[in-house]
């Protein structure tokens, strides 16, 4: 009986370890990304997951229209936006 209890406690400990090292941090990152997407507004400079810099021209339900150059606009899914560019990044790029 004692050996079975140790095995069960080992499995429970392993699951708890996986939860705190893998699952929980991923959930926190996902919540931060969802919050960033909810707070997008026209005029924000963003970087897509593919590395494209652009300014938001229009926000639709599931996508945004980005201006990437003069007279060049592309439509990308909101989920494809990796981050909002900081002021320092904008000036370094220009």
């Amino acid at each position: 009986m004692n050996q079975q209890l140790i095995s069960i406690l080992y499995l429970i400990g392993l699951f708890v370890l996986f939860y705190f090292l893998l699952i929980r941090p991923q959930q926190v990152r996902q919540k931060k990304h969802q919050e960033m997407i909810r707070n997008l507004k026209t005029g924000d400079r963003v970087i897509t997951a593919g590395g494209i810099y652009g300014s938001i021209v229009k926000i639709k339900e599931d996508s945004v229209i980005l201006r990437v150059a003069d007279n060049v606009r592309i439509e990308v899914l909101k989920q494809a936006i990796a981050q909002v560019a900081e002021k320092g990044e904008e000036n370094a790029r220009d």
Side-chain angles (χ1 to χ4, degrees), residues 1-88:
M1 183 67 181
N2 193 18
Q3 192 71 2
Q4 289 177 340
L5 182 61
I6 291 173
S7 296
I8 291 172
L9 288 176
Y10 177 74
L11 287 174
I12 291 172
L14 193 59
F15 178 75
V16 169
L17 182 68
F18 274 129
Y19 177 77
F20 283 107
L21 291 178
L22 299 174
I23 299 169
R24 191 163 182 268
Q26 177 62 28
Q27 289 174 339
V28 170
R29 280 191 298 270
Q30 191 173 13
K31 283 183 183 180
K32 285 182 181 179
H33 188 256
Q34 290 296 329
E35 183 68 24
M36 181 210 47
I37 288 175
R38 273 194 297 272
N39 292 330
L40 290 175
K41 57 189 178 296
T42 303
D44 281 351
R45 300 262 306 150
V46 296
I47 305 169
T48 66
I52 298 172
Y53 282 82
S55 297
I56 297 177
V57 176
K58 182 178 180 182
I59 299 175
K60 296 183 177 181
E61 188 171 329
D62 293 329
S63 62
V64 295
I65 307 292
L66 296 180
R67 182 179 63 80
V68 294
D70 292 336
N71 298 321
V72 179
R73 288 170 175 44
I74 58 173
E75 184 172 359
V76 296
L77 290 174
K78 286 182 178 179
Q79 296 300 323
I81 295 177
Q83 67 186 59
V84 176
E86 299 293 326
K87 292 291 183 190

